[in-house]
Amino acid sequence: MALFWCMEVLPLAVTALFPVLLFPLMNIMDSTQVCMEYLKDTNMLFIGGLMVAIAVEHWNLHKRIALRVLLVIGVRPALLIMGFMVVTAFLSMWISNTATTAMMVPISQAVLEQLHKSEQEKNSTEHVAENINKAFELQEVPDKSALSQETQKQDNGYVLTVEEEEKLKTEKQLQEEKHLTFCKGMSLSVCYAASIGGIATLTGTTPNLVMKGQMDDLFPKNNNVVNFASWFVFAFPTMLLLLIVSWVWLQIMFLGFE
């Protein structure tokens, strides 16, 4: 430790936290006693959650998990919402729900924009192909008996083009409205999942740590009845139930029963 302090082999902030890790491992002091020399043990637990969030964001772990889930579940709207909710809830179990939301919302929006762009290109390609087929039909050599009807065919072709443009415009408008509705549902699903996933562990959200700190102050002889394991056993089933209910509700509100 003295060598690390003097030579600054590592940043001083990292060196200062060595006792928190090494003293409990070497049975020199209990982790609770070591943390009390810095902050309250619940505050140290919260700082640990922030460190995990920084590490996840630095190594893009959240992007890797999200993309892996997308490869598994596909791009169906209902399954896409479910996939993002599962990933967001899982990340929110270990880091702050606010940090989880800030990391996952840009990913979901980028995925939605890419899907929307791909759908527009697909519809545009199909429309062009359909017009090419019709153009080939109109370019067939007419018989002598049909020469008198050439003008009528051109007129009919012009009217048909106008109708197609109106139809394409209507389909594009409906597609934009559908995309906007889907974006609303996806954004809400990420936010809901972050809040729901945060209740599963003590580090998931700050109020859980505040409750534990207040309980330790008010009931100092509680034999540490509220710890990470006991809270997880109590809150994890509740988290799963709320996640399923919220997914069904979002499915009904924004996607319907299709």
Side-chain angles (χ1 to χ4, degrees), residues 94-121:
W94 314 108
I95 60 180
S96 171
N97 51 3
T98 305
T100 305
T101 305
M103 289 189 297
M104 292 302 298
V105 167
I107 298 176
S108 64
Q109 294 300 322
V111 171
L112 289 176
E113 290 298 329
Q114 184 62 37
L115 291 176
H116 184 53
K117 186 183 298 183
S118 300
E119 188 175 357
Q120 283 182 332
E121 292 177 355

Side-chain angles (χ1 to χ4, degrees), residues 35 43 150 176:
C35 291
N43 292 340
E150 183 177 358
E176 291 292 337

Side-chain angles (χ1 to χ4, degrees), residues 36-106:
M36 288 300 294
E37 299 298 328
Y38 295 85
L39 296 168
K40 283 186 176 182
D41 54 348
T42 53
N43 292 340
M44 288 297 297
L45 190 61
F46 180 70
I47 292 175
L50 293 179
M51 291 180 179
V52 172
I54 294 173
V56 168
E57 186 176 6
H58 178 74
W59 294 106
N60 290 326
L61 181 61
H62 57 297
K63 294 182 180 179
R64 298 181 185 182
I65 296 175
L67 293 176
R68 179 62 60 182
V69 171
L70 289 178
L71 290 176
V72 173
I73 66 174
V75 294
R76 288 182 56 189
L79 296 180
L80 193 63
I81 289 179
M82 183 181 67
F84 269 99
M85 290 183 72
V86 170
V87 173
T88 305
F90 175 76
L91 293 175
S92 185
M93 288 169 57
W94 314 108
I95 60 180
S96 171
N97 51 3
T98 305
T100 305
T101 305
M103 289 189 297
M104 292 302 298
V105 167

Side-chain angles (χ1 to χ4, degrees), residues 125-249:
T125 303
E126 291 178 353
H127 181 69
V128 170
E130 184 179 355
N131 288 340
I132 291 175
N133 292 333
K134 291 182 179 180
F136 279 125
E137 293 177 1
L138 292 176
Q139 290 175 1
E140 291 180 355
V141 179
D143 298 333
K144 293 182 179 180
S145 61
L147 288 175
S148 60
Q149 300 178 0
E150 183 177 358
T151 305
Q152 184 177 357
K153 283 186 178 182
Q154 291 178 353
D155 293 339
N156 292 337
Y158 178 75
V159 173
L160 184 62
T161 303
V162 172
E163 292 177 354
E164 287 179 352
E165 289 179 355
E166 292 294 333
K167 182 180 179 181
L168 183 62
K169 184 177 180 180
T170 304
E171 290 178 354
K172 186 176 181 180
Q173 184 177 1
L174 292 175
Q175 186 178 357
E176 291 292 337
E177 293 178 356
K178 184 178 179 181
H179 174 68
L180 181 61
T181 303
F182 189 31
C183 287
K184 292 179 183 178
M186 178 65 75
S187 300
L188 287 176
S189 68
V190 171
C191 298
Y192 288 169
S195 298
I196 293 171
I199 70 175
T201 60
L202 283 176
T203 57
T205 185
T206 309
N208 298 349
L209 297 173
V210 173
M211 188 279 298
K212 176 174 170 51
Q214 290 295 318
M215 186 172 181
D216 292 339
D217 291 339
L218 296 175
F219 306 99
K221 297 181 180 180
N222 58 22
N223 295 323
N224 197 25
V225 65
V226 178
N227 52 38
F228 196 93
S230 62
W231 183 275
F232 184 81
V233 172
F234 163 74
F236 185 73
T238 306
M239 185 269 289
L240 289 179
L241 180 61
L242 291 176
L243 200 65
I244 294 173
V245 171
S246 61
W247 176 71
V248 173
W249 175 252

